[in-house]
Amino acid sequence: MRTASVSRDTKETKISVEINLDGTGAYDVQTGVGFFDHMLEQLARHSLIDIKIRADGDTHIDFHHTVEDTGIALGQALSKAIGDMSGITRYADTHLAMDEALTRCALDVSGRPFLVWDVTFDRDKVGDFDTELFEEFFRAFAMNGGLTLHIANLYGSNCHHIAETCFKAVARTLRKAIEIDPRQADRVPTTKGQLGG
């Protein structure tokens, strides 16, 4: 089983994450930030990764620390569960439509983290959630998960739809990239012999 658990405890947040890469998309998410919970549930459901998250953060200040630290812990759990990346498909991409919005995600489970974020929101908030925090989450997730992650919103006008297409596109792409390729057997998908920095 490709599973992992991570705990992160700082003066700003206390977070625990459990994941199963070979799950069914089951989720149990409680961060204290409603819209963020909704997005993390989409990430679980459409990646088929079982995700359990408990986050207790300083949301009386704002949501920044909770969102970023959740991304850190979730990325660390993903990296831990993938291990040396033997047998994975590694590369994947997705175009994800939701009503008027279309978002593209391309991903390399490379062990060399990088984020390209080409997404613009014309409002500062979706509900009470700061739209700038979406980039903060994906950066923390990519950097700690060892992912080369490109996310581009091609068009859209509804900020909720744009955000949701980002999470769903990442989920669908991640699902394909971490799948075991039966033709790879136990090989690491690189000519270098190992993946990473």
Side-chain angles (χ1 to χ4, degrees):
M1 295 289 287
R2 297 185 297 166
T3 62
S5 60
V6 168
S7 294
R8 178 179 173 82
D9 195 350
T10 73
K11 291 182 179 179
E12 298 167 340
T13 61
K14 183 176 183 179
I15 296 171
S16 64
V17 173
E18 298 174 16
I19 65 170
N20 177 1
L21 301 186
D22 302 306
T24 61
Y27 52 82
D28 181 3
V29 177
Q30 295 178 27
T31 68
V33 183
F35 190 80
F36 188 41
D37 286 357
H38 178 48
M39 293 299 101
L40 292 170
E41 290 167 357
Q42 301 304 319
L43 185 64
R45 179 64 184 88
H46 295 284
S47 67
L48 297 184
I49 298 172
D50 294 345
I51 299 177
K52 180 178 180 179
I53 298 174
R54 292 291 182 271
D56 182 15
D58 54 3
T59 55
H60 62 286
I61 296 174
D62 66 10
F63 298 154
H64 185 108
H65 297 143
T66 299
V67 171
E68 183 177 32
D69 288 7
T70 298
I72 291 170
L74 187 58
Q76 289 173 344
L78 177 70
S79 178
K80 187 176 176 182
I82 292 174
D84 70 357
M85 304 175 219
S86 294
I88 65 169
T89 301
R90 181 178 170 181
Y91 297 101
D93 61 88
T94 303
H95 282 78
L96 198 293
M98 182 176 182
D99 297 346
E100 88 299 341
L102 181 68
T103 294
R104 177 180 63 228
C105 175
L107 174 66
D108 175 10
V109 184
S110 62
R112 297 186 308 277
F114 200 89
L115 175 68
V116 174
W117 176 257
D118 186 11
V119 181
T120 302
F121 295 93
D122 63 10
R123 287 191 289 138
D124 293 335
K125 290 183 179 289
V126 176
D128 61 353
F129 192 90
D130 295 321
T131 52
E132 66 182 10
L133 294 181
F134 295 121
E135 181 177 4
E136 294 301 321
F137 169 76
F138 284 115
R139 178 175 289 108
F141 181 57
M143 294 301 156
N144 289 275
L147 307 175
T148 301
L149 179 60
H150 292 237
I151 305 170
N153 174 244
L154 304 183
Y155 46 81
S157 57
N158 182 294
C159 290
H160 186 133
H161 295 167
I162 292 170
E164 193 158 337
T165 58
C166 290
F167 278 82
K168 287 179 175 178
V170 170
R172 292 289 299 183
T173 309
L174 191 59
R175 173 181 171 180
K176 291 183 283 187
I178 65 172
E179 281 182 346
I180 299 300
D181 180 348
R183 295 177 65 193
Q184 289 279 15
D186 294 324
R187 296 184 304 171
V188 177
T190 179
T191 57
K192 293 185 294 187
Q194 67 178 35
L195 289 168

